[in-house]
Amino acid sequence: MPLFFFHQHVNGRSERDRRGRRFPSVDDARVYAVQRISAILRKTVSSTTDTYLATEVSDGEHTLCVVRAKVIIQR
């Protein structure tokens, strides 16, 4: 099975995935990235500031897709 990396970008800060995870296809890796968005937002979202999140799915050499989410606080 191919190895995919899930690099996180939150509010301008980046964290590279050095271990990766194995999935049968890029579609399965993309589904995993989408499913992880809510868990990542739970850890990072603030009730007072906007939160911008992107998960970059990579094969180690190329970006295959980017899953983005944002939480906008309006008062």
Side-chain angles (χ1 to χ4, degrees):
M1 277 195 291
L3 184 62
F4 297 95
F5 297 90
F6 300 87
H7 309 304
Q8 297 301 314
H9 307 279
V10 179
N11 293 335
R13 294 183 323 268
S14 296
E15 183 177 321
R16 301 205 45 88
D17 177 5
R18 298 184 194 285
R19 292 182 14 206
R21 296 181 75 105
R22 295 197 178 276
F23 289 94
S25 70
V26 68
D27 288 334
D28 292 317
R30 180 185 41 78
V31 167
Y32 172 78
V34 169
Q35 291 172 343
R36 292 279 304 138
I37 289 291
S38 61
I40 296 165
L41 282 174
R42 274 195 298 276
K43 294 178 186 177
T44 60
V45 75
S46 165
S47 62
T48 58
T49 59
D50 298 345
T51 301
Y52 300 92
L53 167 67
T55 299
E56 174 189 351
V57 181
S58 168
D59 63 3
E61 293 182 24
H62 303 94
T63 299
L64 304 172
C65 69
V66 178
V67 177
R68 298 181 193 280
K70 64 181 172 179
V71 176
I72 308 264
I73 307 298
Q74 291 183 316
R75 298 170 211 221

